[in-house]
Amino acid sequence: MRHRRRAGWRPIMGTVSVGALLVVALALGQAVERFLPSRDDTLRPFERAGVVGEPLSLRYGTIEVGQPDGSTVLHAPGGVYSTTGVYVVVPITFTAKGEPQPLAYVAIRDAEGRVYRAGSRRNPWSMLGAAQPGIPRQAQIAVELPVDAVAGAQVVLAPRPNDMDHRRDDVAVVDLGLTATDAQEWATDDDGVTLEPAYDGERPPS
Amino acid sequence: MNEVGWWRRNRWGLIGLPVVLLAALAASSYHVEDWWWLARPRVAVPATEGEWVHFTDIRYDRSGDVPIELSARLAGLEEAVEPFGGVDDELNLPTGTKGVAVVLEFQVAADMPLTACRLSVVGADGTEYAYQYAPPSIRQAPSPCVPPDRRGPELDLFEGLEFADGDPRPEEWAVRPVVVIPDDVEIVEVRLTWGPPRHLVFQVR
């Protein structure tokens, strides 16, 4: 009698054990996933911080950002533009490494994280193609900003034009060192700043 | 009762396991060709400066596969005295740089579309410098491998885009495209491609 009862219990216990193991495995997997970095985290770019006047070394070359200037009027090759905000003009020196490289993404990011992209008619930016390795490419960007976006602004530069393609690659982020005083001074300036066309070679001493 | 071992009981699963693993790997590798193999030149056709080399490739346009067949020779490297193609009259290169004229000779049928080529030179440290036709320091003909005034046929890439018939391209010609490089670079290789993965690699003597 006892022998038959034990034999009847064995398959049921086997099924329950398998089910319990399955539940434990799922719970363990969910717990592990909670501690792993999110997909966005693993795909994020590598932001390399820099300051004005200091060369910043990246995977694809070296970037040096010069002292920015600003005004309410911009004299650009495409025309003269005026703004109720501020035009910030930033000189950039890019020396490619390894093979010809472009800098196709340029933007200004303010202290609140808002991004103002360069590369349109009113925010001109052109490097005139890829820079040859070892030959510094001098260029300037001009970005129209609200006055309250100037203080604490950073310039962001990357080789690919689409910011979705910055995943897992170096992105230069350079603090422009701007303050509210700069913002107010430029917001009342209508003498204008001039955007120079890009050229190759060393920047002449100022 | 004979007991059957674990290995024997699972033999068919074990035999099938490597096949299944390979199939899973292949199924998830559909991006490897487009995103890695074709992203850069990977199949080199070697040659030495001064020697003729026969090169074949297949391009693709709206009409389908377009075969390319040509003979090419790197005649030499010279100090450039003018831009290639006569867009600018003279060279005005920045301090610290030099212009190298890459003298190439071709023997090709006149109806072969060859304008979309990429020319580059490689320094002793492996750095690659590309032919550029419109950087700030120089303006040249867009294509470094065909005569600027008799380019020959183009690939049919865009519907509605037609090119005016010019003078036919000769079946033999030489070009001197200029590559701007830093002063201190010594060129060891010249590379020419009409699209990855195949490319010509000339060793410089």
Side-chain angles (χ1 to χ4, degrees):
Chain A
M1 197 68 157
R2 195 181 288 174
H3 176 77
R4 267 209 304 273
R5 196 181 299 134
R6 268 200 222 112
W9 274 106
R10 198 171 290 162
I12 295 172
M13 286 308 295
T15 305
V16 170
S17 305
V18 167
L21 280 173
L22 206 58
V23 169
V24 167
L26 286 171
L28 209 60
Q30 197 166 14
V32 166
E33 196 180 8
R34 192 175 301 161
F35 288 106
L36 286 175
S38 71
R39 183 173 168 79
D40 285 345
D41 244 359
T42 59
L43 296 178
R44 72 185 187 285
F46 293 93
E47 291 196 353
R48 307 296 184 190
V51 295
V52 167
E54 293 293 327
L56 181 62
S57 189
L58 303 148
R59 176 190 64 77
Y60 38 83
T62 303
I63 291 176
E64 185 172 336
V65 173
Q67 194 63 39
D69 197 2
S71 176
T72 58
V73 177
L74 174 71
H75 298 273
V80 180
Y81 303 99
S82 63
T83 178
T84 53
V86 167
Y87 266 112
V88 176
V89 173
V90 185
I92 292 167
T93 304
F94 175 55
T95 308
K97 183 169 75 175
E99 58 182 356
Q101 304 272 6
L103 270 186
Y105 179 93
V106 179
I108 286 186
R109 189 164 69 194
D110 73 1
E112 294 179 22
R114 295 175 295 184
V115 174
Y116 305 86
R117 189 80 189 266
S120 62
R121 182 184 285 186
R122 284 188 65 87
N123 297 279
W125 153 251
S126 176
M127 276 189 63
L128 297 181
Q132 199 80 295
I135 302 176
R137 175 71 53 89
Q138 311 289 349
Q140 290 185 326
I141 68 161
V143 181
E144 187 180 11
L145 300 178
V147 179
D148 64 357
V150 173
Q154 301 168 315
V155 64
V156 182
L157 303 112
R160 294 188 176 274
N162 186 345
D163 55 7
M164 291 290 291
D165 290 332
H166 299 167
R167 297 165 292 180
R168 301 195 188 106
D169 200 0
D170 278 354
V171 169
V173 180
V174 179
D175 188 342
L176 295 173
L178 299 175
T179 64
T181 307
D182 297 313
Q184 290 307 316
E185 181 186 325
W186 293 342
T188 55
D189 177 292
D190 57 5
D191 290 338
V193 282
T194 301
L195 190 76
E196 304 289 344
Y199 64 93
D200 282 334
E202 298 293 340
R203 194 178 290 275
S206 52
Chain B
M1 183 174 78
N2 287 332
E3 287 215 359
V4 179
W6 185 92
W7 291 98
R8 189 169 167 76
R9 282 202 315 272
N10 294 282
R11 63 186 180 280
W12 292 116
L14 288 168
I15 289 168
L17 182 60
V19 175
V20 167
L21 281 175
L22 277 172
L25 198 63
S28 59
S29 302
Y30 55 91
H31 277 322
V32 170
E33 183 182 14
D34 286 340
W35 289 80
W36 181 78
W37 181 249
L38 296 178
R40 287 179 175 273
R42 303 212 186 270
V43 180
V45 177
T48 307
E49 178 182 348
E51 295 178 356
W52 284 96
V53 60
H54 187 245
F55 181 78
T56 59
D57 198 359
I58 297 179
R59 305 318 307 159
Y60 183 82
D61 69 6
R62 294 174 60 241
S63 65
D65 286 345
V66 179
I68 288 178
E69 184 173 358
L70 57 93
S71 295
R73 187 174 88 106
L74 173 65
L77 302 175
E78 299 173 355
E79 181 183 347
V81 295
E82 60 184 5
F84 173 62
V87 181
D88 278 346
D89 291 332
E90 54 185 31
L91 279 180
N92 279 309
L93 299 179
T95 308
T97 66
K98 61 183 177 184
V100 176
V102 181
V103 186
L104 293 165
E105 296 173 357
F106 294 90
Q107 293 173 345
V108 191
D111 61 351
M112 204 77 63
L114 294 178
T115 58
C117 64
R118 182 180 187 274
L119 172 69
S120 61
V121 300
V122 180
D125 63 352
T127 300
E128 187 178 15
Y129 305 88
Y131 171 84
Q132 297 176 319
Y133 69 90
S137 53
I138 191 172
R139 288 176 60 227
Q140 311 187 83
S143 176
C145 48
V146 293
D149 52 349
R150 290 193 285 173
R151 291 160 50 96
E154 310 270 353
L155 286 172
D156 180 17
L157 296 174
F158 302 104
E159 185 178 359
L161 181 65
E162 292 183 10
F163 297 89
D165 290 333
D167 290 333
R169 191 182 65 212
E171 295 194 342
E172 293 186 27
W173 73 88
V175 289
R176 294 176 135 73
V178 176
V179 181
V180 181
I181 59 177
D183 260 340
D184 57 353
V185 169
E186 179 197 349
I187 297 173
V188 299
E189 234 177 59
V190 173
R191 294 179 183 170
L192 186 60
T193 182
W194 281 265
R198 289 177 64 79
H199 63 294
L200 278 163
V201 178
F202 296 98
Q203 297 298 326
V204 174
R205 285 193 178 142

